[in-house]
Amino acid sequence: MICSSDDSCPFDSENDVDNDSLCGETTMCLEPEDAVTSFGTCEDYAPGSRYFGFCTSDAICSVCPCSCATECGNEVDRCPNDAENDADSDSLCGDSDSCPDDPSNDADSDTMCVPFDSCPGDALNDIDSDSICMDLDSCEYDRYNDGDGDSICGDVDSCPFDRSNDSDNDSICDDVDSCLGDALNDHDGDGLCSLEDPCPDDIVNACNMTGSSIVSDNGITLD
C-alpha cells in the first residue's frame, strides 16, 4: 500500500501502468474536504471557472490537486494503457486502435494500415502493378498506361500497342500485321503484300500489265 502523501498517482490504483508519466484516474478525484484558498474554493480554479490558470501563481497545486490537475502537470491519462497517448490523434487510444499510427484507420478498407499500406487510398493496391495507385492511375487496369498513346487504356483497347488501331481493318493490329495497308494480307499467298505484289491474285506472279490487257509469260495477250 502507498500512502497518498507518497503516491505519485493518488487516484490511479495501477500507478501509471503505461509509464507515460500521466496518471490514470480509476477512481473519482475528490478535493480534500478542508481545501480552501486565499481567493475561494478549489472549484474556482477548475477548468472554465473564474480562477482557472492561476493554480501555479497562487501556489495551490497541492491544495487543489484535482481542479489544478491540468495546469500543475497532474493531467489525467485519457489513454491509461497507451504509452503514446493516441499517437495518431484519431481519438482512439492505441490499445484499442486497430491502426494506432493511421489517423484515417485504413481508409480504403484493405486491412492494411498506414504506414504499411503502399496505396492508402486504393483498396486493390495497384492491381496493374505499374507502381501507380489506382486513385492516381489514369489507366487503372493497364500496366503500360495507354502504351500506344491513343487515349484508350490497354484493358479496353483492341490494339493496345497500335496507335492507329488496325489501320487496314483486317482485324490484325498494325504492330503485328505483316502486311500493313493490305486488308487481304497477301491474298495469293506468294509472300508479297498487295502494295508490292504485281499480281496480287496470282501466286506464281505470271501476269504483266500492258494497258488494259494482261500478258502472260508465254507472250499470249489476254483481254
Side-chain angles (χ1 to χ4, degrees), residues 18-99:
D18 59 4
N19 295 310
D20 61 357
S21 299
L22 293 173
C23 298
E25 185 179 9
T26 56
T27 59
M28 182 178 295
C29 182
L30 299 174
E31 309 283 8
E33 292 182 359
D34 57 350
V36 292
T37 73
S38 300
F39 302 97
T41 66
C42 289
E43 291 181 357
D44 292 326
Y45 291 86
S49 299
R50 58 178 178 167
Y51 294 142
F52 176 66
F54 291 93
C55 290
T56 302
S57 60
D58 289 353
I60 62 165
C61 288
S62 59
V63 177
C64 301
C66 299
S67 297
C68 295
T70 299
E71 183 184 347
C72 297
N74 298 319
E75 185 178 357
V76 173
D77 193 348
R78 302 305 178 190
C79 293
N81 296 304
D82 173 15
E84 295 185 332
N85 292 302
D86 184 21
D88 59 4
S89 301
D90 62 355
S91 299
L92 295 172
C93 295
D95 57 310
S96 58
D97 191 345
S98 59
C99 292

Side-chain angles (χ1 to χ4, degrees), residues 88 96 109 193 221:
D88 59 4
S96 58
S109 302
C193 297
T221 300

Side-chain angles (χ1 to χ4, degrees), residues 10 41 91 100 114 143 146 158 190 194 207 212:
T41 66
S91 299
V114 173
R143 67 176 305 175
D146 184 21
S158 58
D190 62 358
S194 62
C207 70
S212 61

Side-chain angles (χ1 to χ4, degrees), residues 112-203:
M112 297 180 68
C113 302
V114 173
F116 306 105
D117 192 346
S118 58
C119 292
D122 172 11
L124 298 179
N125 292 302
D126 184 22
I127 193 171
D128 60 1
S129 301
D130 61 356
S131 299
I132 303 175
C133 296
M134 184 175 285
D135 53 322
L136 303 174
D137 196 343
S138 59
C139 289
E140 300 173 347
Y141 297 96
D142 173 14
R143 67 176 305 175
Y144 298 105
N145 292 303
D146 184 21
D148 57 7
D150 62 356
S151 299
I152 303 175
C153 294
D155 57 306
V156 293
D157 191 344
S158 58
C159 291
F161 299 106
D162 170 14
R163 186 180 182 85
S164 299
N165 292 305
D166 184 21
S167 59
D168 57 9
N169 296 310
D170 61 356
S171 300
I172 302 175
C173 298
D174 288 4
D175 57 310
V176 292
D177 193 343
S178 59
C179 285
L180 285 176
D182 178 4
L184 297 178
N185 290 300
D186 185 19
H187 176 64
D188 58 7
D190 62 358
L192 296 172
C193 297
S194 62
L195 296 179
E196 59 185 19
D197 193 343
C199 299
D201 295 313
D202 180 3
I203 192 171

